[in-house]
Amino acid sequence: MVLVDSSVWIDYFNGVASPETDTLDALLGQDLVLIGDLILTEVLQGFREERDYRIARELLDPLELRVLCGQEVALLAADNYRTLRARGITVRKTIDVIIGSYCLLHALPLLHTDRDFDALETHLGLTVIRGTVS
């Protein structure tokens, strides 16, 4: 199982060739690819054309959806944010702290291309799937 961040999905739907999109392509149909509710929102809200939105929604619908934020994750995310701030590190987006904290809580690896997760990996032990060379 692997949770895939919106940073990879957005590149994937935009046809960006990268080690991460290649890895996602390889994982689809081979492994259990998870999507979070907040990630689904981030990905789908970016489509300008109704046709593209519908196609993406149909392609994402079969994925197992995880609800990323409840009280337990919210409290952990606040703690993780404060821990990083105490070390002089500010994560730019709260949603990334929530996603990373969910992965930490559930021991799920994350596939991403967003530098905000680097601090969670380095300082909190977030497991990250590295993209294969394209």
Side-chain angles (χ1 to χ4, degrees):
M1 284 192 291
V2 60
L3 185 68
V4 179
D5 181 54
S6 58
S7 58
V8 177
W9 284 113
I10 291 166
D11 284 350
Y12 187 79
F13 282 118
N14 284 327
V16 174
S18 71
E20 292 77 18
T21 57
D22 289 348
T23 297
L24 174 57
D25 197 47
L27 288 171
L28 290 169
Q30 301 295 319
D31 202 352
L32 184 55
V33 174
L34 306 173
I35 191 162
D37 54 352
L38 301 173
I39 296 166
L40 181 64
T41 299
E42 282 186 317
V43 172
L44 291 177
Q45 72 187 6
F47 286 97
R48 292 185 181 148
E49 299 297 326
E50 182 66 24
R51 179 180 179 277
D52 296 335
Y53 167 82
R54 280 182 291 154
I55 290 169
R57 189 169 168 172
E58 285 178 27
L59 291 171
L60 295 171
D61 189 55
L63 299 177
E64 186 173 318
L65 180 78
R66 296 290 176 97
V67 177
L68 297 178
C69 196
Q71 183 177 9
E72 185 176 25
V73 175
L75 293 171
L76 179 60
D79 290 344
N80 287 338
Y81 182 87
R82 290 173 45 78
T83 296
L84 293 171
R85 280 295 299 265
R87 294 180 182 179
I89 302 161
T90 303
V91 179
R92 297 171 302 148
K93 293 174 278 186
T94 300
I95 194 168
D96 290 342
V97 180
I98 291 169
I99 293 166
S101 296
Y102 180 90
C103 288
L104 285 163
L105 183 64
H106 296 283
L108 285 171
L110 180 67
L111 177 63
H112 73 88
T113 61
D114 188 328
R115 67 184 170 134
D116 274 344
F117 294 110
D118 295 346
L120 283 92
E121 178 184 13
T122 302
H123 299 283
L124 301 176
L126 176 66
T127 301
V128 171
I129 299 294
R130 297 283 172 224
T132 56
V133 178
S134 43

